[in-house]
Amino acid sequence: MSEHYEIVDKRFHDKVASLFPPEELFSGGLFTEGPAYFPAGRYLLFTDLPNDRILRLDETDGSISVFRQECGHPNGQTVDLQGRLLSCEHRYRRVSRTEHDGSVITIADRWQGKRLNSPNDVVVTSDGAVWFTDPPYGIFHDLDGIKAVSEIGGCHVYRVDPISGAVEAKITDMVMPNGLAFSKDESILYVVDSGKSHHEDGPAHLRSFAVDRNHHVMSRGVFAECPVGIYDGLRLDSDDHLWITAGDGVYCYEPGGDLLGKIKLGKIAANLTFAGPRRNIMYVCATNSLFRIRLKINGRVR
């Protein structure tokens, strides 16, 4: 096994293509985030948060260009059911959607009449609902947002109804909710709490929640504690194994909570997504870089 892959459970051998080390495709950012893959166009969009830009990787020739500049200090991103880009914008304190004609509209920027803090990560469920987290990272200072006082006074996980557009707080007991992802059948929601980043005794773990057909959410407890630094972004593969970023790379857990292995990147990993025609490529945003990792498994775009 390569020095870049740490085996904890032998099942990890069947998940990573260890003959191929992680490839650093880009290292010209300040802090990269928000990888979102567009399969029809064979390209990846990812953000350079402090530099206030979205970058575009063309998967067909490996070129990287600026997709959009001065775009609200975007953080987490995803692709909705119609193939449109959803972005969490720190500066404008909203979740936005880029339409097919290039126009950008607001999906959510307020809850109960109060401005959101700074949406951080976003996912879309099969009914078209948008779920997102809202910690205060983008209002702490002017580096990647605008310094401000929280109007809400808390950090929640929200759901935007696909029909009415109503914004509902679904989880209200987290310190700093961060990355989030659903299981394949959408009965389990995983949410990172990265409160340790700004609170010495704060959480640095991943929690899981049961979600019923009426979108009611009930805590199932802590799924895993982060071994190095804090967890950030996560995605699940086709077998519901969790791949989650941390202070030294990407960790892989099976649905029962067992750690299978780790991909060591030597940098703080922020977020990831699966890509390629068969979803067996993982793109990871880590500190100032974008990495590509070859896998033996298939992931999910959202």
Side-chain angles (χ1 to χ4, degrees), residues 3-277:
E3 62 178 322
H4 300 284
Y5 302 91
E6 180 179 318
I7 298 296
V8 177
D9 186 296
K10 63 182 181 180
R11 289 174 288 177
F12 197 53
H13 283 287
D14 297 325
K15 292 189 170 294
V16 293
S18 57
L19 286 176
F20 308 107
E23 303 168 81
E24 190 174 24
L25 305 179
F26 172 80
S27 60
L30 281 179
F31 191 79
T32 57
E33 264 279 8
Y37 183 66
F38 292 79
R42 295 286 307 277
Y43 65 88
L44 178 87
L45 297 181
F46 63 103
T47 71
D48 184 6
L49 181 54
N51 280 325
D52 195 11
R53 59 181 180 169
I54 300 173
L55 300 171
R56 181 183 185 274
L57 167 69
D58 187 329
E59 209 174 39
T60 66
D61 62 11
S63 63
I64 293 177
S65 58
V66 175
F67 175 78
R68 186 183 298 156
Q69 187 76 55
E70 298 182 359
C71 44
H73 289 97
N75 192 329
Q77 301 188 127
T78 195
V79 183
D80 75 2
L81 304 184
Q82 287 74 44
R84 298 169 295 190
L85 176 69
L86 296 180
S87 302
C88 294
E89 301 177 5
H90 279 191
R91 175 178 290 273
Y92 302 126
R93 299 166 69 169
R94 68 174 182 172
V95 178
S96 70
R97 186 176 71 213
T98 301
E99 302 291 270
H100 292 302
D101 64 4
S103 59
V104 181
I105 67 170
T106 298
I107 298 300
D109 63 354
R110 295 179 183 272
W111 175 64
Q112 295 185 347
K114 300 176 181 179
R115 293 190 70 187
L116 298 173
N117 297 318
S118 55
N120 186 278
D121 206 1
V122 58
V123 294
V124 179
T125 46
S126 59
D127 61 355
V130 175
W131 294 68
F132 67 94
T133 57
D134 187 40
Y137 291 115
I139 58 175
F140 280 149
H141 45 67
D142 293 330
L143 178 63
D144 48 23
I146 296 179
K147 186 176 181 179
V149 175
S150 172
E151 295 184 15
I152 293 172
C155 302
H156 308 327
V157 179
Y158 297 94
R159 177 183 183 270
V160 183
D161 187 87
I163 304 300
S164 68
V167 179
E168 182 180 1
K170 288 297 185 179
I171 303 172
T172 60
D173 65 343
M174 305 188 80
V175 180
M176 289 189 181
N178 202 315
L180 74 169
F182 277 90
S183 62
K184 186 189 302 186
D185 65 4
E186 300 180 353
S187 66
I188 301 175
L189 172 62
Y190 299 94
V191 187
V192 168
D193 196 331
S194 56
K196 188 178 180 180
S197 66
H198 285 72
H199 302 278
E200 185 176 350
D201 298 323
H205 55 221
L206 178 68
R207 292 175 62 185
S208 66
F209 300 84
V211 183
D212 67 20
R213 293 182 178 180
N214 295 315
H215 321 302
H216 297 139
V217 179
M218 180 177 295
S219 177
R220 301 170 75 241
V222 173
F223 179 85
E225 295 284 350
C226 186
V228 180
I230 57 172
Y231 292 134
D232 197 333
L234 70 152
R235 287 291 182 266
L236 278 71
D237 63 28
S238 57
D239 293 322
D240 264 353
H241 289 79
L242 293 87
W243 300 77
I244 181 167
T245 59
D248 57 347
V250 178
Y251 288 72
C252 178
Y253 294 89
E254 58 89 31
D258 291 338
L259 175 64
L260 301 184
K262 178 172 68 173
I263 303 171
K264 296 178 284 186
L265 297 176
K267 293 187 176 184
I268 297 172
N271 218 325
L272 60 88
T273 197
F274 296 104

